[in-house]
Amino acid sequence: MNDTPGWASPGSAPSDGQKPDQSGPAEPTDRPGPAQPADQPAQPGQTSQGPGPQWSKEQPPPAQWSAPSGPAVPGQAPPPPPPGPGWGSQPPGGHGPGGYGPGGRPGHGAPGGWGSGWGGPPPAAKPGVIPLRPLGVGEILDGAVSTMRTYWRTVLGISLTVAVLTEVIVVLFQGLVLDDSTTDALNDPSATLSELTRAMGDAMLNSTVVFVISLVGTVIATALLTTVTSRAVLGKSVTIGEAWRDARPQVLKLFGLICLLLLITAGIVTVGTLPGILVGVAVNGGAGVALTVLGVIGAGIVALWLMIRFSLASPALMLEKQGIKKALLRSVKLVQGTWWRIFGIQLLATLIANVVASIIVIPFTLLAAALSGDGLTGWLNTGVGSLGWTFLIISGIGSVIGSMITLPITAGVTVLLYIDQRIRREALDLELARAAGVQGYGSPAPGATPGS
C-alpha cells in the first residue's frame, strides 16, 4: 500500500511545498483606453491623454454599451452586445483548463473561471466518493453509502465474513452451553431465589460472551473498513487481503482502545451510581433510589460527552499509525469546538443504520419464533425466544444481514468525519488531491510525488 496520502503526519502544514504564484492574472492587452494616439493632436474640447484609440462620438444605447477595440472602420456594424445577463464577456488572461491561473489560482477567461458573471469558484475535485473540501452532513452519509455501493465486493466481503464468523460462534455458544432452563426460570413466578440467582448468572454470562465476541468482530471489521474508506476517498480500490495487510499491525491497538473506552464508561457509571446505592443500603428509603437515578443520568451525560470527544480516535489510530494515548489526544483536538456537530452526525448515522437493520432483523426473528417450539404466540407472550437450534439459526441469519449494513455505514461515517475535520483544520484536501493525482492543487511538497 504505497498510496497513503500522508496520514501519518498529523498537523503537517500542506503549504510546506512551493506556494502558488502570488501575482494576479495578466491584464488583457487589447482592452481599450479612453486616450488618443500620441501622434495625433487633441481635438477641440479634448485633452491629450496618451496613446490609445479615440472614443466614437456616436455611442449605442446604454443597454448595449461596449468599449471600442480600435479605430472605427467606415461601413462596419458595431459589435453585438454580450450574451447572457452577466457583467460582460470574459476578458482573456485565463490560464489552463477550468480557468486556473499560474500556480493553480483561478483565472478570468477560461471556461468555469471566476470571471463568468456570478458563477463563483470552480467545484472541488472529486477523485473518489467525496469532494475534496469541507463536507456537509448529507455528503458524509452519501460518501459512506457510495463506498459500500462502489466497492461492494470488498466492503460486503469484509462485513459478511466478519458477521458470519461472529454469528457462528455466538450460535454455537448459545446452543451448546446454554439451555432453556435459564429463560424458564426467569419467566416462572414460582421460582426460588437460588434458581433466579443461577438463571441471572447464566444470562449475564451469555450476554458478556456474546458482547465480547461481537466486540472482536466489530474491531476487525472497523479496522478493515477504515482502510477501504480511506482509499475510496482517493478513488482507489483495495482488496480484502491488501486491507488486512495494512490494518493488521494496528488491530491489537484498536482492540485495546475500544476496551479502554468501555472501561472508562463503566468506571463513570459506577462512580455515578455508587453513592445512591450506599445511601439506599444505609438509609433503606427512597432517598437512595432518587440519588441513584440522578447518578445514572449524570454519569450518562459525562460518558456521552467523553465518548464523542474520543469518537475519532479509531481512524486516527488506524490511518496515522498512532498509539492509543496519541490517538485519544488527536481525537480530542479534532473534535474540539465541533462536539454538537459530530454528535448529531454520529447519532443520525446510527439511527439510520439501526432502522435499516431492524427492518431486516425483525422479520427473521418473527419467522424464527413462529418455527420454534413455542410458536409465535408463545414468543409474543414471554418476549423471550427459545434457545432451540431452529430459532438460533434463523435469527442468526437475520443478524448477519443486519450487520452487513450497519458495520459499513457506521465505520464509513466515522472515517469521513475524521477526514472532514482534518480538511477543515489542517487542509488535508491538498494532500489528498496530490495523492490522488489531481492537477491544479498547488505544487507538491519538495521530494514528494503524487500517489506516494
Side-chain angles (χ1 to χ4, degrees), residues 32-37 40 43 46 52-61 65-79:
Q36 299 178 1
Q40 294 183 6
Q43 300 294 331
Q46 296 180 346
Q54 295 181 356
W55 295 107
S56 174
K57 296 181 181 181
E58 298 179 359
Q59 298 293 334
W65 184 91
S66 61
S69 57
V73 179
Q76 182 178 359

Side-chain angles (χ1 to χ4, degrees), residues 8 25 53 74 85 133 149 159 194 225 264 294 328 373 404 423:
R133 56 170 170 75
R149 184 177 63 248
S159 343
S194 60
L225 293 172
I264 292 175
L294 292 177
L328 292 173
M404 287 177 56
I423 288 176

Side-chain angles (χ1 to χ4, degrees), residues 30-445:
D30 57 352
R31 179 174 294 177
Q36 299 178 1
D39 56 353
Q40 294 183 6
Q43 300 294 331
Q46 296 180 346
T47 58
S48 178
Q49 297 178 355
Q54 295 181 356
W55 295 107
S56 174
K57 296 181 181 181
E58 298 179 359
Q59 298 293 334
Q64 300 180 358
W65 184 91
S66 61
S69 57
V73 179
Q76 182 178 359
W87 280 17
S89 60
Q90 300 174 353
H95 299 272
Y100 280 90
R105 299 183 61 185
H108 292 279
W114 290 14
S116 53
W118 292 95
K126 188 178 179 181
V129 295
I130 59 170
L132 299 183
R133 56 170 170 75
L135 304 174
V137 178
E139 291 171 328
I140 292 177
L141 297 175
D142 179 71
V145 176
S146 297
T147 302
M148 183 168 56
R149 184 177 63 248
T150 305
Y151 306 97
W152 63 270
R153 288 184 178 87
T154 303
V155 173
L156 296 184
I158 292 173
S159 343
L160 179 61
T161 302
V162 172
V164 168
L165 293 177
T166 302
E167 198 61 32
V168 166
I169 298 175
V170 170
V171 168
L172 291 176
F173 172 79
Q174 292 178 332
L176 297 176
V177 178
L178 302 179
D179 51 35
D180 289 338
S181 60
T182 299
T183 56
D184 293 340
L186 293 176
N187 294 326
D188 187 6
S190 62
T192 62
L193 180 61
S194 60
E195 293 175 345
L196 289 175
T197 302
R198 184 170 60 253
M200 291 180 63
D202 292 341
M204 291 182 62
L205 176 63
N206 179 27
S207 300
T208 302
V209 172
V210 170
F211 175 76
V212 171
I213 295 172
S214 302
L215 177 63
V216 173
T218 302
V219 168
I220 295 175
T222 301
L224 298 176
L225 293 172
T226 297
T227 301
V228 174
T229 305
S230 66
R231 298 302 185 274
V233 171
L234 303 176
K236 299 177 181 180
S237 61
V238 58
T239 64
I240 298 178
E242 292 172 341
W244 171 247
R245 286 193 296 270
D246 187 73
R248 182 175 55 189
Q250 298 294 107
V251 170
L252 289 180
K253 292 182 181 180
L254 181 62
F255 183 77
L257 171 65
I258 295 180
C259 289
L260 177 61
L261 294 178
L262 292 175
L263 289 176
I264 292 175
T265 303
I268 293 174
V269 173
T270 301
V271 172
T273 56
L274 186 60
I277 295 176
L278 296 177
V279 170
V281 172
V283 179
N284 194 18
V289 176
L291 186 59
T292 302
V293 172
L294 292 177
V296 169
I297 296 175
I301 294 175
V302 174
L304 176 63
W305 179 75
L306 284 177
M307 291 305 103
I308 297 300
R309 285 176 66 86
F310 296 147
S311 62
L312 302 184
S314 172
L317 183 142
M318 294 301 303
L319 298 178
E320 299 178 13
K321 311 303 180 186
Q322 299 275 17
I324 295 177
K325 181 179 178 181
K326 290 185 177 180
L328 292 173
L329 295 177
R330 281 286 289 157
S331 178
V332 171
K333 178 181 178 181
L334 292 174
V335 175
Q336 185 177 5
T338 58
W339 189 95
W340 283 106
R341 178 176 181 269
I342 293 178
F343 167 71
I345 295 175
Q346 293 274 32
L347 178 62
L348 180 60
T350 303
L351 290 177
I352 293 175
N354 288 333
V355 168
V356 174
S358 298
I359 295 175
I360 299 173
V361 172
I362 291 177
F364 278 90
T365 304
L366 295 177
L367 178 61
L371 298 177
S372 62
D374 296 335
L376 183 59
T377 304
W379 181 80
L380 293 176
N381 291 333
T382 61
V384 180
S386 171
L387 294 179
W389 289 106
T390 302
F391 181 86
L392 292 176
I393 293 175
I394 297 178
S395 61
I397 294 174
S399 299
V400 168
I401 299 176
S403 298
M404 287 177 56
I405 298 175
T406 56
L407 287 176
I409 292 179
T410 54
V413 167
T414 302
V415 175
L416 294 179
L417 270 174
Y418 160 83
I419 294 175
D420 174 59
Q421 289 301 110
R422 286 199 62 182
I423 288 176
R424 293 172 182 269
R425 295 178 181 272
E426 301 170 1
L428 183 66
D429 53 326
L430 301 179
E431 194 172 359
L432 293 175
R434 290 195 293 266
V438 178
Q439 302 296 326
Y441 267 75
S443 303

